[in-house]
Amino acid sequence: MNNQRYSIQEFVQQTKQKDKHQGIFELETPRFLEVNLNGQIWAKMGTMVAYHGEIKFEREGILEHGFGRLFKKAFTGEGTPLMKATGKGKLYLAEQGKKISILSLQHDALFVNGNNLLSFEPSIHWDIKLMRKIAGMVAGGLFNVRLEGNGLVAITTYYEPLTLIVTPDSPVFTDPNATVAWSGSLQPDFATDISFKTFLGRGSGESIQMKFVGEGFVVVQPLEEAYFSEEPSKS
């Protein structure tokens, strides 16, 4: 019996890293981001799985981005701790087997749920945004990260993402726990469906909806994920 197709050599050949020469961010696989580092990038803490070369990792400094963002993090317990990777080499990032998408911002703005932000170039300006209108409706989920400028951003989703187009005559409603990102031109509002909430007998989930009106897009994933938690929702 010929088991050559199960040999270690074949396994190594099929799974070994391959240079694609696509720039600083490459999708080595749909769930591994390869960073061809020659300088610096920001990445979510805990997402480094391997690297080679001379790379130094530093946790985001307490005053790295000024007192305003420090206050928001301290006051809210916002859950997007960052690390700075500096040096030269190849860095591999992944998070819980999530699918990775690379987005090129070109004078664009994008909001990303902190759970879904993986990495971005230092040329990107970012800030934590308080979603005031949802306060008191759900535990957590009050904050997202606004990214703006020129550069690459890597986001993650559970399974395949779906992008919904928003137009003035066609608003989009989403479950907050399935909402991944949206274009910077949109300002979501929040609404509660009291009758549906009563029917379900629970105080979260589909009874609270994000409403997007205007011109832009919204990215959702096919799994409800509690904002800024470490594990996907089991509900």
Side-chain angles (χ1 to χ4, degrees):
M1 183 177 180
N2 185 0
N3 288 326
Q4 184 62 30
R5 65 193 180 103
Y6 299 119
S7 68
I8 292 176
Q9 290 80 4
E10 184 183 12
F11 174 80
V12 171
Q13 184 63 30
Q14 289 180 349
T15 61
K16 72 178 181 180
Q17 180 266 337
K18 299 175 179 65
D19 286 320
K20 300 178 181 177
H21 306 290
Q22 295 176 346
I24 185 171
F25 282 4
E26 294 183 10
L27 286 179
E28 185 64 28
T29 76
R31 288 166 172 75
F32 274 105
L33 177 69
E34 178 183 281
V35 182
N36 295 298
L37 187 62
N38 187 12
Q40 176 186 311
I41 57 101
W42 287 98
K44 190 174 181 180
M45 284 284 294
T47 59
M48 187 278 288
V49 294
Y51 73 93
H52 59 79
E54 297 295 326
I55 300 177
K56 180 181 179 182
F57 299 93
E58 297 177 90
R59 187 182 179 93
E60 178 187 6
I62 191 168
L63 293 178
E64 186 92 37
H65 300 288
F67 283 99
R69 273 177 266 189
L70 170 66
F71 171 76
K72 279 187 263 190
K73 284 199 169 191
F75 179 73
T76 65
E78 185 277 326
T80 313
L82 298 174
M83 65 179 179
K84 181 166 54 177
T86 307
K88 186 174 183 179
K90 289 187 181 291
L91 169 63
Y92 298 93
L93 304 175
E95 186 180 23
Q96 298 181 10
K98 290 181 178 181
K99 181 178 174 62
I100 300 169
S101 299
I102 300 173
L103 306 174
S104 176
L105 270 60
Q106 300 175 13
H107 301 289
D108 301 310
L110 180 72
F111 287 92
V112 181
N113 177 357
N115 270 349
N116 303 97
L117 180 61
L118 179 63
S119 184
F120 57 93
E121 291 190 87
S123 57
I124 298 291
H125 302 286
W126 67 276
D127 196 7
I128 298 164
K129 293 297 181 180
L130 172 63
M131 300 166 68
R132 298 177 185 277
K133 293 183 180 180
I134 200 174
M137 294 183 184
V138 296
L142 303 180
F143 293 84
N144 286 276
V145 182
R146 188 177 192 272
L147 305 148
E148 184 175 13
N150 294 286
L152 296 178
V153 177
I155 65 172
T156 61
T157 57
Y158 281 106
Y159 313 109
E160 300 293 330
L162 173 66
T163 299
L164 303 171
I165 304 302
V166 181
T167 62
D169 59 349
S170 183
V172 171
F173 297 83
T174 67
D175 182 330
N177 290 324
T179 306
V180 172
W182 59 91
S183 50
S185 58
L186 299 178
Q187 293 292 333
D189 203 349
F190 293 88
T192 55
D193 188 329
I194 301 301
S195 60
F196 197 31
K197 176 179 176 181
T198 303
F199 175 74
L200 290 175
R202 59 180 177 140
S204 62
E206 291 83 354
S207 60
I208 300 170
Q209 302 158 0
M210 297 178 75
K211 180 181 180 180
F212 295 90
V213 178
E215 292 275 0
F217 63 87
V218 183
V219 183
V220 293
Q221 63 184 4
L223 185 147
E224 293 183 12
E225 180 181 15
Y227 274 25
F228 305 124
S229 68
E230 293 298 321
E231 298 293 340
S233 170
K234 298 295 191 287
S235 62

